[in-house]
Amino acid sequence: MHQRILLRARKGPFDVVTAEETYERDWIGKNSGNLVFSHAAHKLLSTSAAEITPSRFRTDPRDADEINEKYDVFVIPLANAFRHDYVNRLMSMTRLIERLKIPVVVLGVGAQTDVDGDREYLRPIDEPVKAFCRAVLDRSHSIGVRGEISESYLRTLGFSAVEQIGCPSMFLHGDSFRVEKAKATLGTEDRLAFVISPYVRALAPIVRHHHQRYPNLRYVAQGLYALGTLLYGDAPKLRGKTDDMPIHTSHPLFVEDKVRMFVDPWPWMEYLSGFDFAFGTRIHGTITALISGTPGYLLAHDSRTLELARYFDIPHRLMRDVPADVDAAQLYEEADYTALNEGHKERFARITAFLAKHDLGLSFADGDSATRFDTQVRQTVYPQAVRPASAYTAEELLARIQWLRDENQTLQQKLKALRVQPVRERVKQAVGGRIRRMLSR
């Protein structure tokens, strides 16, 4: 049976957008990690009977009638949506869902608090979260959450139809997933990917140590701010400033061309597959390494990262317990992937059962659907890594400047049209009113 799926995603897995366009229109939803789980969800659902359309993150309640008419189900992959600074968007999504008549399926939503699961911190968002869950459960059998902290939170709010299913990103390869160490120990010449959350200030001495000790270290960035810095340099108010964290072009990692960022998951995974080890505070940076076959290690600094590490048995430490002189070689040595590997099939069976309960197909159980998806990925030409501006040729930088000039000209034309339009409308209204008055005499 043909199934029309509206999938909450900023863009589809085969929508090719340049790095410049990605930055200007935020095609990553502030963080490229969003694409890892939304594109994995797209692959999981890509059966021969499915027609999948990305929502572009639109949550306008006025779209409800059109959605009800055009789609059979609304699938919502989410990350840490139960958090303070997301509450307005959550409420907007709730208002849309309340007007939908089709089923709504939530994949992998999570709460964000500290690593101890501080309940009091979440209390101010209780009511918006309750409203969201009620709206979803009126149109769904259950809500799929990331892990035990999020499940516990929703149960304290009175919801029992809650299932732990992790994050779709870890199921990109179905049930055939395995991570192994290629070598017994990590040497200073080995390739290291550091996945850094710039706002976790405790990372500063760890960044400094690893930059000095490992010449083949690369900082693999994910945030929209980092993308802008790579493309255009520091924002005006930040020019000339320095910091121990790699947030300015003056940082040694920028100066030495050791920063990379990707605007699609597929070249990102290909790049990480050539590394010996990946570590840091980014959960989807770590997961992207793991699904690339590269050993990864998470430094968990909040509940959203910790509960996924626990659910999937990803090697990890609490960031508060990580000493400033920790070395990647220590983390590599202690990393054990036995539980991650041995538990994967059961976890995959759990999300498969969740999808089946909600009448959603699975590409891995639909002939060669998953293989066809992978083939299309291989045939698609995606933008490659974005590097610091100093790494580009004069011709490449000129092309970027020309793109900005063309973009500015287009925006100026649109602005001019917006300024003229109200005048035209006022003239039409005035003329129309005068004609109506003349006819009424």
Side-chain angles (χ1 to χ4, degrees), residues 3-130:
Q3 191 173 45
R4 302 167 301 170
I5 300 173
L6 179 63
L7 181 71
R8 182 189 177 275
R10 189 68 182 93
K11 67 174 186 174
F14 310 111
D15 295 331
V16 177
V17 183
T18 66
E20 291 83 1
E21 290 174 305
T22 297
Y23 177 72
E24 293 301 323
R25 295 170 180 82
D26 189 14
W27 284 108
I28 59 174
K30 305 298 182 187
N31 187 319
S32 56
N34 290 321
L35 300 183
V36 179
F37 68 80
S38 67
H39 289 193
H42 194 120
K43 179 181 177 179
L44 287 173
L45 300 172
S46 291
T47 65
S48 55
E51 177 188 347
I52 305 174
T53 303
S55 71
R56 311 296 186 201
F57 282 5
R58 282 184 59 87
T59 56
D60 191 334
R62 292 172 296 183
D63 294 337
D65 290 340
E66 181 182 355
I67 293 172
N68 287 327
E69 180 182 348
K70 292 177 61 175
Y71 302 102
D72 301 308
V73 58
F74 185 20
V75 179
I76 309 177
L78 284 170
N80 50 321
F82 300 154
R83 67 180 194 267
H84 289 214
D85 63 354
Y86 196 80
V87 70
N88 289 335
R89 281 171 284 179
L90 187 70
M91 292 168 65
S92 178
M93 200 181 308
T94 300
R95 288 192 292 270
L96 171 61
I97 294 170
E98 287 172 341
R99 295 182 60 177
L100 295 181
K101 299 176 182 177
I102 60 175
V104 175
V105 183
V106 172
L107 296 179
V109 67
Q112 181 171 337
T113 180
D114 63 17
V115 291
D116 298 313
D118 183 1
R119 178 69 184 84
E120 289 304 310
Y121 178 78
L122 293 170
R123 202 167 296 283
I125 65 170
D126 282 358
E127 291 308 315
V129 172
K130 285 180 183 179

Side-chain angles (χ1 to χ4, degrees), residues 182-197:
K183 51 184 66 181
T185 59
L186 201 65
T188 56
E189 296 299 317
D190 287 329
R191 297 198 71 192
L192 266 65
F194 206 164
V195 291
I196 299 168
S197 305

Side-chain angles (χ1 to χ4, degrees), residues 160-204:
S160 58
V162 183
E163 299 181 55
Q164 291 185 42
I165 59 171
C167 176
S169 55
M170 282 291 284
F171 304 112
L172 185 68
H173 306 304
D175 67 353
S176 57
F177 173 71
R178 194 164 189 84
V179 178
E180 302 285 358
K181 295 181 186 178
K183 51 184 66 181
T185 59
L186 201 65
T188 56
E189 296 299 317
D190 287 329
R191 297 198 71 192
L192 266 65
F194 206 164
V195 291
I196 299 168
S197 305
Y199 49 84
V200 180
R201 301 297 305 179
L203 283 172

Side-chain angles (χ1 to χ4, degrees), residues 116-162:
D116 298 313
D118 183 1
R119 178 69 184 84
E120 289 304 310
Y121 178 78
L122 293 170
R123 202 167 296 283
I125 65 170
D126 282 358
E127 291 308 315
V129 172
K130 285 180 183 179
F132 174 81
C133 292
R134 282 194 296 265
V136 171
L137 289 173
D138 283 344
R139 296 156 182 83
S140 184
H141 298 291
S142 60
I143 293 177
V145 299
R146 302 176 94 179
E148 88 281 2
I149 295 174
S150 297
E151 179 184 8
S152 174
Y153 173 53
L154 293 192
R155 290 189 181 279
T156 65
L157 295 180
F159 299 101
S160 58
V162 183

Side-chain angles (χ1 to χ4, degrees), residues 14 46-49 366-377:
F14 310 111
S46 291
T47 65
S48 55
D366 184 56
D368 65 347
S369 290
T371 302
R372 283 190 288 106
F373 183 97
D374 291 337
T375 299
Q376 189 172 352
V377 167

